[in-house]
Each structure stands twice: as C-alpha cells, then as structure tokens.
Amino acid sequence: MTCEEMRAEDNVSTITEFVLLGFSDLPNLQWLLFGVFSIIYVIVLIGNSFIIIITRLDAALETPMYFFLANFSFLEICYVSVTLPRILVNLWTQDRSISMVGCATQMCFFLMLGATECFLLAVMAYDRYVAICHPLHYPLVMNHELCLRLAAGAWIGGIPVQIGQTCQIFSLHFCNSNHINHFFCDVPPILQLACGDTWVHEAAVYVVAMLFVTVPFMLILASYSKIISTILSLPTAGGRAKAFSTCSSHLLVVLLFFGSASITYLRPKSNHKAGIDKLLSLFYTIVTPMFNPMIYSLRNKDVIAALKRLLLKKIV
C-alpha cells in the first residue's frame, strides 16, 4: 500500500462531520444574507399558513383543488424548514460544521419532501385535468376518499426509496475532504467528496431522479396537453380565460420547481459547478416556496373573495 493510499484510509476513519461552506465566499455579505433569508423564511411561514387557514375557514374553498393546495402549502413550510433554519444558524454563528448523522438526516428529509412535492404537483395537475376535461364527472371522480388516498400516496410514496438512497450515499468513503461547497447537504456536492469509483451510486441517483422528477413531470405534461386542447375547444373567450386562470398558477409553480430540480439532478457529475448548483438550488428550495402563496392568492379570484369575506366577518 502506498503512502497516499494509507493517508486516504486514515481520512476515511477520521471524517465524522462535514463543513457547509454555504456563502462563505461572500464574507462581507454575511449579515445582509442573514437578513434576507430571515425575511424570506417569515414570508414562507406566514404566506403558506395563510393559504392553509383560509382554505380551512371558508366553506367555498372546501373543494379538492384547495384541499391539495392546503397540503402543498404545508409541504412548502416543511420543505423550507429542512434547509433555511440551518442556513440562518450558520450565518449567525459562522460555525458551519454539521455532524455526519445531522447531514444524513437533513438530506433524507429533503429528498423525501422533494419527492412529495413532485407527486403532489402531479396530483394537482390530475385534479385540474378532471375538472376541465370531465366537469360533469368531477364531483364523482374526485370524491373525498380519493383525495385522501392521493394526498397520502404523495406524502408517503417516496419515503422508502429516499431513505434507501440516503443510506447508500452515506455508506461511501469520504477520503478527500469534508468541505461541502453548498448551503445544505444535497446529493451532488456529497458525491463529489466521495473517493473511488462512484458511478454505481451516480447511476442510482439518476434512476431515482427519473422516477421522482421525470415521471411526475411527464404526467403533468400529459394532463396539460389534454387541458389545453379542451380549453382551446371552448366556444367563448370568457370560458377559455376562466379555465386557463385555474391552471396558470399551478403551471408556473411546476415550471419553477421542475426546471431547476431537473437541471440539478439530471446533469452528469462532471458538469456540476458549485456556483450554478447553489443558484439552481435556491429556486427549488427557497424561491418557489416563497412565491407559492403570492402565485396562488394574488392570481386566484376565489382566494381573494374568501379573504374579503373573512375580513368583512372580522369587521362586522
């Protein structure tokens, strides 16, 4: 065994924690970033909580569409809470270390909730497909029992696979460095720290990404191809505008989330650049959850009407 191999073996046994470099390359902006991310976190919590509360309080919003929207808003709160509090702690304390168990836990919850988001967006697209393409059968098809099953399937469907993927990734030997050039424990930057041939693990990541990102996205595209075809066949411009308005918010969230996530997880390992990965990750971990309440409330007449009714009740 060579000296280099002996040192590598030693490093394997000594790595018990990682260091999240995050935004350490911007030393003069640490407090500004802390302030910006704090505001974003508050917006995410308040905005998505508002969606959940108003869909529960207003009887007019007790429909499958808003049932799934409430689930989606709760998911966004959980999703952001996996990464943002850790970012804020790192910026506040400047202590960027994270234990291997902590890193694995963060990655596991991030992947599970990411899978839930993919499935839930596909379920929401199916709901819109039934509502627009088969309006007469909508109450019968999208009954309460089916909605509960679809929501439960979205929440738990990815748990076994993502736990397995996390265990597989953290079974690797990390002998090069323990510095993660990212702001949370994501799959691509962790794989870059592994020594030896990791092509099997990379292939597994691609397979899982195809299953949890590409398949739901294709189902969404299939739903929207039918939806657009139906909308274009409506006889009046008013009917087309109303039908499209119920889908445009969801479609915007889909493009933001799937676009950035697909580029991140379906690129080859050799093409990953830390700066680009961080920027893309900001979109599907922080930007989408922040804009979700604004997209679904400001662009939705039913939500605005429900808010007016709620405010009138408070005034009276």
Side-chain angles (χ1 to χ4, degrees), residues 7 13 15 34 48 68 71 73 75 86 94 99 106 115 126 138 153 184 221 225 228 230 271 286-287 312:
R7 282 196 293 270
S13 61
I15 291 180
F34 178 82
N48 285 287
F68 292 126
N71 270 266
S73 294
L75 170 65
R86 183 76 204 190
Q94 294 300 302
S99 68
Q106 186 187 52
Y126 175 70
Y138 181 69
F184 71 101
L221 285 181
S225 65
I228 292 171
T230 302
N271 290 345
I286 296 174
V287 174
L312 286 174

Side-chain angles (χ1 to χ4, degrees), residues 276-314:
I276 296 174
D277 283 352
K278 289 179 189 178
L279 183 62
L280 289 170
S281 297
L282 284 173
F283 272 95
Y284 62 84
T285 59
I286 296 174
V287 174
T288 301
M290 180 181 67
F291 282 116
N292 172 47
M294 290 178 268
I295 291 171
Y296 278 107
S297 58
L298 297 179
R299 293 173 58 85
N300 192 302
K301 294 180 181 178
D302 292 335
V303 173
I304 293 173
L307 177 60
K308 289 178 180 177
R309 286 192 293 269
L310 184 62
L311 292 175
L312 286 174
K313 285 181 182 179
K314 295 293 183 182

Side-chain angles (χ1 to χ4, degrees), residues 196-216:
D197 192 356
T198 61
W199 75 269
V200 174
H201 301 277
E202 291 176 50
V205 170
Y206 288 132
V207 170
V208 172
M210 292 291 287
L211 178 64
F212 290 106
V213 177
T214 308
V215 172

Side-chain angles (χ1 to χ4, degrees), residues 180-257:
I180 302 172
N181 196 0
H182 214 300
F183 53 85
F184 71 101
C185 294
D186 201 4
V187 176
I190 293 289
L191 281 178
Q192 289 181 338
L193 299 183
C195 54
D197 192 356
T198 61
W199 75 269
V200 174
H201 301 277
E202 291 176 50
V205 170
Y206 288 132
V207 170
V208 172
M210 292 291 287
L211 178 64
F212 290 106
V213 177
T214 308
V215 172
F217 186 63
M218 295 305 293
L219 291 174
I220 292 170
L221 285 181
S223 296
Y224 272 103
S225 65
K226 293 285 187 180
I227 288 169
I228 292 171
S229 176
T230 302
I231 289 175
L232 292 177
S233 66
L234 293 175
T236 62
R240 289 193 294 270
K242 183 178 179 181
F244 185 73
S245 68
T246 64
C247 301
S248 58
S249 299
H250 176 255
L251 192 56
L252 183 57
V253 172
V254 166
L255 293 174
L256 277 173
F257 178 79

Side-chain angles (χ1 to χ4, degrees), residues 41 77-87 105-111 113 184:
Y41 194 37
I77 292 173
C78 298
Y79 192 53
V80 143
S81 296
V82 172
T83 56
L84 250 183
R86 183 76 204 190
I87 294 172
T105 302
Q106 186 187 52
M107 177 187 287
C108 188
F109 276 98
F110 176 77
L111 293 176
L113 293 172
F184 71 101

